Amino acid sequence: MSYELLLARIKERLDATGMSERKACITAGVGLNTIRHMRARGHAPKPANLQKLAVALGVNPSYFLDVAAGDASMESFKPSETQEVPVGTVFVKGAVQAGLWQEALEWSAEDWKAINVPADDRYLGVERFGLLVRGSSMNRVYPEGSIAIAVRTDCIGRMPRSGERVVVLKRGESGLEATIKKYEEAADGRRILWPESYDPAFQTPVILDDVAQAISQDGHDADHGCALDLEVIAIVVGSYRPE
């Protein structure tokens, strides 16, 4: 029956996200026993609740709704293949000290926070992830407490363009460190990473390439990083700030 395949798909997404049934229901804003009742009663929940579960588990609602369409409780709901999904789920997987280097630490999957953000047609099928922004070193763009939404460069098949903000990984003696900065390609070919802060303490750019000059094009003292030590791993494609 269709609900058996539906349960299998829900389990697949629970395993992929590391969420428990209870956490998924809380995140979706549905009854705590919604998934358990599906097994006990042998049919799918209301379409609205099933759509909320899909969003919370990071898939297009049609992934659940299509297989549930044969259930009597779903007969009145026939989603079209071109139906727009206004929101998507992004998991906040860690924190970053924007503009400063901080130990690169990804939270365990059980601590990931799911948030609903507008769908992004530019990156359909590409996983987006969130990073909680700490500190004031990028506060012109991301006040402390903002969530930066990013996609990995290896998932979209391109490197950043000048003017985009990026997540940068540094390999040093203390291990892996990460930060967010604005990426810029200078006229002379240098790749520069800029902080964006109102704080005078955070104005020093980083030269991504290993170059001999110690001064950036705008006259600021600059830090230099060999391409082997610094790696742009993701591009920031949006942000969210709770009121």
Side-chain angles (χ1 to χ4, degrees):
M1 296 178 67
S2 59
Y3 73 88
E4 294 175 340
L5 178 56
L6 175 60
L7 283 169
R9 290 194 174 186
I10 290 175
K11 183 178 185 305
E12 171 198 331
R13 294 306 305 162
L14 290 171
D15 292 342
T17 60
M19 298 175 72
S20 66
E21 290 185 0
R22 184 175 186 276
K23 186 171 183 178
C25 290
I26 292 173
T27 302
V30 299
L32 293 180
N33 295 316
T34 297
I35 298 175
R36 184 171 68 84
H37 286 165
M38 290 176 59
R39 290 194 298 270
R41 299 172 181 174
H43 62 74
K46 294 179 180 179
N49 287 341
L50 197 57
Q51 183 165 354
K52 290 177 182 178
L53 276 173
V55 172
L57 291 171
V59 292
N60 189 307
S62 64
Y63 187 62
F64 292 165
L65 293 169
D66 286 352
V67 298
D71 194 309
S73 64
M74 300 292 294
E75 288 180 355
S76 63
F77 191 87
K78 303 290 185 180
S80 71
E81 294 182 358
T82 60
Q83 180 184 11
E84 284 193 17
V85 180
V87 296
T89 298
V90 169
F91 289 94
V92 182
K93 297 184 176 183
V96 66
Q97 189 84 2
L100 289 176
W101 297 104
Q102 174 184 289
E103 180 182 358
L105 177 65
E106 182 176 301
W107 301 333
S108 61
E110 63 184 14
D111 293 325
W112 291 357
K113 310 297 183 184
I115 60 171
N116 293 334
V117 297
D120 193 333
D121 292 339
R122 298 173 299 171
Y123 305 103
L124 294 176
V126 176
E127 181 190 15
R128 295 179 291 167
F129 64 93
L131 293 171
L132 175 64
V133 176
R134 293 175 174 161
S136 61
S137 50
M138 283 288 283
N139 62 8
R140 289 175 56 191
V141 184
Y142 310 122
E144 184 165 16
S146 300
I147 296 171
I149 310 298
V151 294
R152 293 187 62 91
T153 54
D154 56 4
C155 291
I156 62 174
R158 72 169 177 85
M159 294 304 292
R161 302 185 180 107
S162 191
E164 291 182 320
R165 295 170 184 92
V166 296
V167 181
V168 190
L169 200 65
K170 178 170 73 171
R171 296 171 177 84
E173 294 180 359
S174 60
L176 295 178
E177 298 176 316
T179 189
I180 292 177
K181 283 187 169 65
K182 184 176 181 178
Y183 177 85
E184 179 181 301
E185 294 181 359
D188 60 7
R190 289 179 301 167
R191 297 174 297 161
I192 305 172
L193 303 173
W194 290 92
E196 295 180 280
S197 176
Y198 295 112
D199 190 335
F202 302 115
Q203 303 296 326
T204 303
V206 172
I207 307 299
L208 188 59
D209 304 287
D210 187 18
V211 296
Q213 300 267 336
I215 303 296
S216 76
Q217 63 176 7
D218 289 333
H220 295 273
D221 291 335
D223 293 330
H224 296 266
C226 175
L228 295 177
D229 297 327
L230 296 178
E231 180 185 3
V232 175
I233 63 167
I235 299 171
V236 179
V237 296
S239 63
Y240 169 79
R241 183 178 64 181
E243 291 293 336

